[in-house]
Amino acid sequence: MKLYYAPGACSLAPHIALAEAGIPAEIVRVNLKTHTLPDGSDYHAVNPKGYVPVLELEDGNRFTEVAVILQIIADRKPGALAPEVATIERYRLNEWLNFVATEIHKGYGPLWRPEIGEAAVAAATATLRKRYAIVEAQLAKTPYLAGQSFTIADAYLFTVTSWSTFLKLDLSGFPGLQAYMKRVAERPAVLAAMKHGAKEIVDPR
C-alpha cells in the first residue's frame, strides 16, 4: 500500500488513519507547487487530478478522494476506526464524512484565495462558522464526531480544521471544538503522522 501526500494538505487524514490502524504503507511526498514526485517525474501520471491524497493498493488500484480512502483504510482493520459496514452506525459515520468533505473541507477554498476579495472571504468565513456550530453541538453530546470513539471522521475533521490557524479563521467561540482539537492532537498516532509529514502548510488545491 502506498500513500501519496503533501505536508499540511488533506492527505494528513489518511496518514493519521494508517497510523491509528497500525497499517504499514509507503509514504510518498508530492511537491504540489511543481506537481512532481521525489524522482522528478510528473505526479499527474499518478493522479490526473493533480492533488493529494492518492492511495495505491497492492494490486495497483488507485483511489483519490479522502472520504473513500479513509473507508478503505478503516476496512482493513474492521471495527478499529469505523463501525461495521451496512449498519446504522456506519451510515451515520458516512454522513459525517460527507459533511466534513462538502461543507467544511470545500468551505475553506475561498480562504486560500484572498485575491477573490474581502466580501467573498467574509461570506465563506460566515458559512464555515455556521457549519462549525453544527459540529460544536455534536461535540457537546459526544467526545468524538460520530460517538464515543475516535473514527476516520475525526481524522478528517481534525485535518481540515487545523488549517484555521494558518488561514486566520477565528474559532475561539467554539470551546467544544477547541477542546476536541487539543484532545485529538495529543493522540500518539496523530503526533506520529504530523511529525512524519513535516510542518509546512500548502494550498491543498
Side-chain angles (χ1 to χ4, degrees), residues 172-186:
S172 61
F174 302 100
L177 177 64
Q178 296 292 317
Y180 165 87
M181 290 296 288
K182 184 176 184 296
R183 186 163 60 249
V184 174
E186 292 172 348

Side-chain angles (χ1 to χ4, degrees), residues 35-205:
H35 293 92
T36 55
L37 296 173
D39 63 3
S41 60
D42 186 359
Y43 177 59
H44 288 97
V46 174
N47 181 12
K49 297 174 182 176
Y51 53 71
V52 293
V54 166
L55 185 70
E56 183 176 309
L57 304 185
E58 294 85 350
D59 62 5
N61 273 302
R62 292 172 177 158
F63 296 87
T64 61
E65 300 302 319
V66 177
V68 173
I69 289 172
L70 286 170
Q71 292 187 73
I72 293 171
I73 293 170
D75 288 338
R76 289 293 181 99
K77 291 289 181 71
L81 291 173
E84 185 178 347
V85 297
T87 62
I88 290 295
E89 292 78 14
R90 183 60 174 264
Y91 298 146
R92 290 297 182 196
L93 173 64
N94 289 348
E95 186 175 28
W96 279 116
L97 280 174
N98 280 276
F99 180 80
V100 175
T102 61
E103 302 299 326
I104 298 182
H105 183 170
K106 291 306 178 185
Y108 274 95
L111 274 62
W112 292 101
R113 300 178 57 207
E115 73 276 7
I116 66 177
E118 292 183 6
V121 171
T125 296
T127 298
L128 273 171
R129 291 182 62 82
K130 290 179 182 178
R131 302 299 182 254
Y132 276 117
I134 295 170
V135 172
E136 181 77 4
Q138 176 66 17
L139 294 176
K141 297 182 290 186
T142 58
Y144 295 103
L145 197 52
Q148 298 299 314
S149 302
F150 181 92
T151 68
I152 49 177
D154 298 297
Y156 200 178
L157 178 63
F158 173 82
T159 294
V160 296
T161 303
S162 68
W163 297 338
S164 63
T165 301
F166 180 78
L167 295 171
K168 297 180 173 57
L169 175 65
D170 182 10
L171 297 178
S172 61
F174 302 100
L177 177 64
Q178 296 292 317
Y180 165 87
M181 290 296 288
K182 184 176 184 296
R183 186 163 60 249
V184 174
E186 292 172 348
R187 295 178 68 86
V190 175
L191 288 168
M194 293 180 70
K195 182 178 180 180
H196 187 272
K199 300 185 180 348
E200 66 178 283
I201 302 292
V202 295
D203 185 334
R205 288 173 292 154

